[in-house]
């Protein structure tokens, strides 16, 4: 039996055949089991002799079976690994990535600069009340400036905000007379302009507001100089020209040295060497007062800039409509700027 079993085991080629032989010899009705079961019928002298032989045979068969089993297990694992091999040399399929819109890029950059100077970013609604957009900014009803800005009215008292300045008022209300107030506010604004290369009925502004004790015009100038140096390069200079806004007194328009020619004069700056980038001034005492800040104790400065204009200057873009057309050929150029 031993020879027969070992001979047959030698011939097996897989686990299934091995299992069949295990049943044939060692199973419940197996040949060897049969012999062990018949031991009771043997005489007392035969029993240990036959028992010992039977155990040796069982050990031999089991030994071969487990060795073969191990062999098949290894072979199976090797086959599986070979079959499931991943070809890592296959080129991947690139996932198309979007890029940050140039206007958002400029907004992020401006935010970073002012956050670095301790400002917080505030927001306000695009659908705004007449009170915040005009009245509380010292533009009372019938003020001629309200005709200057032709606006999209929803009702007589509600309109699409024409500038981000109403966020100044909302911020002062929210702060309830606390100082310091140091915010910038980016956002969309709306005007009834006919769209062309330099006008859009929706565009983007960034507003700034600082209120504290003892804020002076020199603080405004120093802040803006620091800003333009970081934004356009350390060599950039600024120039303040007297101007008028109802919500600031005094008011100034701010120019920077042309980043195209460095100030020597070119087509972009119309040979002047300067580019206008924002409006600013000291917050008008009436504006402070209306929003709960005593102008005898507190003072502040404010400024507002057009994001499209800055992006156009910075990237040399010649038509404002490029920002809104979503032409991928345009947008992709900013993927790595
Ligand atoms: N709101 C003005 C505009 O849209 C821009 C502006 C000018 C904002 C002077 C200010 C400022 O905060 O002080 O034309």
């Amino acid at each position: 039996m031993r020879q027969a079993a070992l001979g047959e085991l030698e011939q097996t080629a897989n686990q299934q055949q091995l299992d069949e032989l295990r049943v044939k010899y060692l199973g419940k009705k197996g040949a060897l089991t049969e012999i062990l079961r018949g031991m009771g019928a043997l005489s007392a002298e035969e029993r240990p002799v036959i028992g010992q032989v039977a155990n040796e045979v069982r050990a031999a068969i089991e030994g071969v079976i487990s060795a073969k089993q191990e062999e098949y297990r290894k072979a199976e694992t090797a086959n599986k690994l070979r079959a499931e091999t991943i070809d890592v040399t296959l080129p991947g399929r690139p996932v198309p990535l979007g890029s940050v819109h140039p206007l958002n890029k400029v907004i992020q950059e401006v935010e970073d600069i002012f956050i670095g100077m301790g400002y917080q970013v505030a927001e306000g609604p695009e659908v705004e009340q007449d009170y915040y957009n005009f009245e509380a900014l010292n533009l009372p009803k019938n003020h001629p400036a309200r005709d200057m800005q032709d606006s999209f009215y929803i009702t007589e008292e509600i309109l699409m905000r024409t500038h981000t300045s109403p966020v100044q008022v909302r911020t002062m209300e929210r702060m309830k007379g606390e100082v310091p107030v140091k915010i910038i506010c980016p956002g969309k604004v709306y005007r009834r302009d006919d769209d062309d290369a330099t006008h859009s009925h929706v565009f983007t502004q960034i507003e700034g507001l600082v209120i504290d004790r003892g804020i002076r015009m020199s603080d405004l100038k120093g802040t803006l100089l620091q800003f333009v140096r970081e934004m356009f390069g350390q060599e950039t200079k600024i120039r303040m020209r007297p101007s008028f806004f109802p919500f600031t007194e005094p008011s100034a328009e701010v120019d920077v040295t042309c980043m195209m020619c460095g100030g020597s004069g070119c087509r972009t700056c119309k040979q002047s060497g300067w580019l206008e980038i924002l409006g600013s001034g000291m917050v008008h005492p009436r504006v402070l007062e209306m929003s709960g800040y005593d102008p005898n104790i507190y003072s502040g400065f404010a400024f507002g800039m057009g994001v499209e204009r800055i992006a156009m200057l910075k990237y040399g873009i010649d038509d404002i409509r490029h920002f809104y057309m979503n032409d991928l050929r345009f947008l992709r150029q900013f993927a790595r700027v």
Side-chain angles (χ1 to χ4, degrees):
M1 186 190 294
R2 177 193 187 130
Q3 267 168 18
L6 296 189
E8 284 176 65
L9 282 170
E10 198 55 49
Q11 303 298 313
T12 61
N14 54 45
Q15 181 70 42
Q16 195 196 333
Q17 291 171 358
L18 202 60
D19 289 339
E20 281 165 12
L21 288 181
R22 185 208 309 274
V23 172
K24 180 173 174 185
Y25 289 101
L26 307 177
K28 264 190 196 146
K29 290 178 186 159
L32 190 64
T33 318
E34 209 81 327
I35 287 173
L36 290 168
R37 222 176 258 148
M39 295 268 286
L42 298 176
S43 68
E45 299 88 64
E46 286 174 314
R47 211 175 288 154
V49 181
I50 299 293
Q52 194 188 348
V53 173
N55 277 330
E56 276 172 24
V57 171
R58 190 195 9 219
I61 294 174
E62 276 176 349
V64 173
I65 287 179
S66 65
K68 284 245 164 192
Q69 194 160 314
E70 181 64 14
E71 194 181 302
Y72 294 144
R73 207 187 50 74
K74 276 190 181 146
E76 194 190 332
T77 308
N79 275 338
K80 220 171 167 183
L81 285 176
R82 209 174 312 120
E84 292 173 6
T85 301
I86 293 168
D87 181 0
V88 292
T89 66
L90 197 66
R93 283 182 214 128
V95 179
L97 279 187
S99 54
V100 179
H101 192 279
L103 292 178
N104 286 329
K105 259 190 151 88
V106 169
I107 289 173
Q108 284 170 8
E109 225 172 297
V110 174
E111 283 181 357
D112 281 350
I113 295 170
F114 280 99
I115 286 169
M117 294 194 274
Y119 286 64
Q120 296 198 328
V121 178
E123 281 186 6
E126 292 172 23
V127 181
E128 186 55 284
Q129 295 171 41
D130 177 281
Y131 173 77
Y132 291 108
N133 196 78
F134 293 130
E135 194 113 1
L137 287 164
N138 198 31
L139 284 123
K141 293 213 159 60
N142 307 321
H143 189 289
R146 289 193 174 185
D147 298 330
M148 267 164 49
Q149 301 184 348
D150 273 0
S151 316
F152 290 111
Y153 277 90
I154 310 288
T155 69
E156 225 161 79
E157 292 301 323
I158 297 175
L159 74 161
M160 302 309 291
R161 68 180 177 194
T162 60
H163 51 183
T164 44
S165 301
V167 184
Q168 289 189 31
V169 180
R170 288 180 171 276
T171 302
M172 286 187 276
E173 268 190 9
R174 183 164 52 80
M175 295 286 287
K176 295 190 164 63
E178 292 289 310
V179 288
V181 176
K182 275 177 96 174
I183 55 123
I184 58 162
C185 162
K188 289 196 182 87
V189 301
Y190 300 79
R191 290 183 196 176
R192 289 190 54 176
D193 275 329
D194 289 327
D195 294 358
D196 62 23
T198 53
H199 295 83
S200 168
H201 61 285
V202 189
F203 63 104
T204 319
Q205 287 188 332
I206 300 177
E207 192 81 14
L209 175 69
V210 171
I211 300 172
D212 207 339
R213 287 186 170 82
I215 297 292
R216 301 177 302 181
M217 194 113 185
S218 53
D219 297 314
L220 171 63
K221 188 177 178 186
T223 300
L224 293 177
L225 182 59
Q226 177 64 21
F227 164 64
V228 301
R229 281 178 172 169
E230 287 193 49
M231 191 74 195
F232 301 112
Q234 287 301 318
E235 64 292 342
T236 312
K237 294 186 181 65
I238 60 171
R239 176 173 86 170
M240 299 176 91
R241 285 179 289 105
S243 184
F244 174 80
F245 300 102
F247 32 90
T248 46
E249 180 60 35
S251 305
E253 271 168 335
V254 176
D255 300 341
V256 292
T257 41
C258 177
M259 60 286 279
M260 298 296 165
C261 60
S264 58
C266 69
R267 220 168 48 111
T268 301
C269 60
K270 299 199 180 84
Q271 308 306 328
S272 73
W274 295 96
L275 294 166
E276 186 199 323
I277 58 151
L278 55 81
S280 66
M282 301 308 290
V283 181
H284 197 290
R286 275 222 282 285
V287 171
L288 288 173
E289 202 161 27
M290 273 187 277
S291 292
Y293 285 83
D294 184 345
N296 296 310
I297 303 173
Y298 301 111
S299 56
F301 65 72
F303 56 86
M305 65 187 105
V307 177
E308 280 80 355
R309 180 166 165 78
I310 290 178
M312 288 169 87
L313 293 171
K314 195 174 158 93
Y315 299 120
I317 297 165
D318 60 3
D319 193 317
I320 196 170
R321 290 168 293 197
H322 283 309
F323 291 119
Y324 317 114
M325 305 289 278
N326 288 329
D327 185 332
L328 290 178
R329 294 169 302 175
F330 172 75
L331 295 174
R332 280 194 183 119
Q333 298 176 90
F334 301 91
R336 285 169 189 282
V337 181

